[in-house]
Amino acid sequence: VAAGEAELLFTLVSEILPVEGMGLVGPLPAEFQSYVSFAAALGARTTSQDAARALVDCVAAPAAAATFAAKGVER
């Protein structure tokens, strides 16, 4: 779309927002939505459990909601 090779694109909002030359028209109606879910897990043998837990806690914290929303990610 940004290169002018297509006029319409259906993809994740978070993939549209950062692309210069593209504009988000809006999300698809609810009956057409398909959501992507993410999960986090720590490896049983990780040597950095505290750092990994801190990262997961940071991403899952309510304070991160505004950043996710600004990037087009719903929680």
Side-chain angles (χ1 to χ4, degrees):
V1 172
E5 297 176 16
E7 295 181 17
L8 180 65
L9 170 71
F10 291 94
T11 190
L12 304 172
V13 171
S14 61
E15 298 297 314
I16 295 172
L17 293 179
V19 179
E20 195 171 317
M22 286 179 44
L24 176 66
V25 175
L28 292 172
E31 62 267 24
F32 298 112
Q33 286 288 352
S34 177
Y35 292 94
V36 176
S37 296
F38 292 91
L42 304 180
R45 297 182 195 158
T46 184
T47 58
S48 303
Q49 284 191 6
D50 291 342
R53 280 196 178 97
L55 175 61
V56 172
D57 290 346
C58 178
V59 170
T67 300
F68 279 111
K71 301 298 180 183
V73 177
E74 295 181 29
R75 290 179 62 174

